[in-house]
Amino acid sequence: MKTATFLAVDFGAGSGRVIAGTLSPEGQLTFKEIHRFSNSPEKRGGLMRWDFARLHSEMRAGLKKAARECDGIVGIGVDTWGVDFGLIGPDGQLVEDPICYRETAWEPMISKLETIVSPEDLYARCGLQPIAINSIYRLMWMAEEGVDFSDKKILFMPDLFNYFLTGVAVNEYTMASTSGLLVAEERNWNHPLMRKAGVPFASLCPVVKPGHNLGPVTPEVARDLGLPETASVIAVGAHDTASAAAVVRFDGDTAFLSSGTWSLLGISLDEPVTTETARLSGYANEGGTEGILFLQNITGMWILQQLMGRWKEQGKTYDFPTLIRMAEEASIDTVFDVDCPEFAAAGDMDTVIREHCRTRGLTVPQTDGETVRALLQSLAARYARALRDLESVTGKAMKKLQIIGGGSRNALLNRLTEEATGLEVVAGPAEATAIGNILTQIKALGYPAPKEIIENF
């Protein structure tokens, strides 16, 4: 076997990267960060939107750089955050920039859908909790706003990037599973629900499984970026959570925690759990690369990111290690509910936390170190509650929690989580999403599984 290189294009809600994974003839998989860029929505026309043209340009810049620096490129895979989508018009171009999931305009659609189908029946079919970010509510709102879908295709974010690389329009399963538009057990579109809700199902594309080979990049892309014409684009676990979870070895008593802007905690199952008990527990069924990810969506490092942004505005530019050291030295017993609605919005998070604690009779943090300590304790307590719910619903006793993603580098949070849950906590890999993306490409293209994975980036 010759040396082969696989490119992971990993878009997060705050930043994006192009990572090269090189598989040697000896079976050693090593990594190199090729390109990194920022990402954030911006208010335009009264709505929060993603700057797709810039993100597409950054992806192309990263792939072009990879073509210069890497030998033997055989595969490309794109993953992004969930739920967001764009419309492709009859001319093959993006109609307008995709709306960001943090927009709130369509929140009333949750109540409207409940008048069409009961929450119990909805969960029994789609397996998701009724959260405003789910794509179904946005599509209902857009239909009410008069958007004409008749000659357009609905493509989720990674599907859009894949489309502009290959010209192939499909909806990858793990992304589609975040929409609220799938039948969980059938893993395909829920046409009866969409008819009732007024969602334009004719504009959706065929659902493909993770690992589906979309074919090579177009000749134009190959020429412009210097990529081999034979480089295949693989529909990986296109939802970043699915790619991240692909690195976890599930053995029946291991749960995973994907720790980033959001915290996703759960296990992998062969089939969805859509019972009323599961619904009331707050668990959802999302697509994984090998099965169903039965998980809870928990507020994660978003709160800390907002705190750091606010403190920077005040002239206090802390790096992450400094904040963790300050939290380790702080002493405060406060634990608050990180999922309270007031923590979901961007803004002066420091003031929001203090006011939240004051109105609930909790000890109010007086220093920045105490604020971070209280936050980390609160996250650990929330993870413990999620695990108790998981064991109750599934009847499975967990022994180990594998924390993956950037948050796995937070040794203090890992220790607090171990204390709160009573489970063995295993940290890493930190770059789980890119690694899982590349592992799916390797399998899809028929290369042998790596004998050794070296997380050297």
Side-chain angles (χ1 to χ4, degrees), residues 11-22:
F11 288 96
S15 65
R17 304 91 51 76
V18 175
I19 302 291
T22 299

Side-chain angles (χ1 to χ4, degrees), residues 283-331:
Y283 268 84
N285 298 267
E286 295 184 0
T289 57
E290 298 294 337
I292 296 291
L293 297 178
F294 187 63
L295 52 78
Q296 276 192 4
N297 199 341
I298 303 167
T299 300
M301 292 301 155
W302 161 257
I303 297 176
L304 182 57
Q305 292 163 0
Q306 291 300 301
L307 285 170
M308 293 176 73
R310 176 58 176 168
W311 289 331
K312 185 175 181 179
E313 291 174 358
Q314 297 172 343
K316 298 182 289 187
T317 305
Y318 299 122
D319 60 19
F320 193 72
T322 298
L323 279 177
I324 300 306
R325 185 171 62 254
M326 290 165 57
E328 286 176 332
E329 295 170 352
S331 178

Side-chain angles (χ1 to χ4, degrees), residues 371-401:
T371 300
V372 176
R373 178 77 183 213
L375 169 60
L376 299 184
Q377 290 171 171
S378 300
L379 286 170
R382 180 64 179 85
Y383 300 155
R385 177 157 60 90
L387 283 162
R388 290 194 296 271
D389 292 340
L390 176 66
E391 293 179 330
S392 175
V393 172
T394 64
K396 297 177 180 291
M398 297 294 110
K399 295 180 180 178
K400 183 187 299 182
L401 178 65

Side-chain angles (χ1 to χ4, degrees), residues 204-220:
L204 291 161
C205 299
V207 178
V208 300
K209 295 179 180 179
H212 181 82
N213 191 335
L214 299 174
V217 295
T218 66
E220 177 187 11

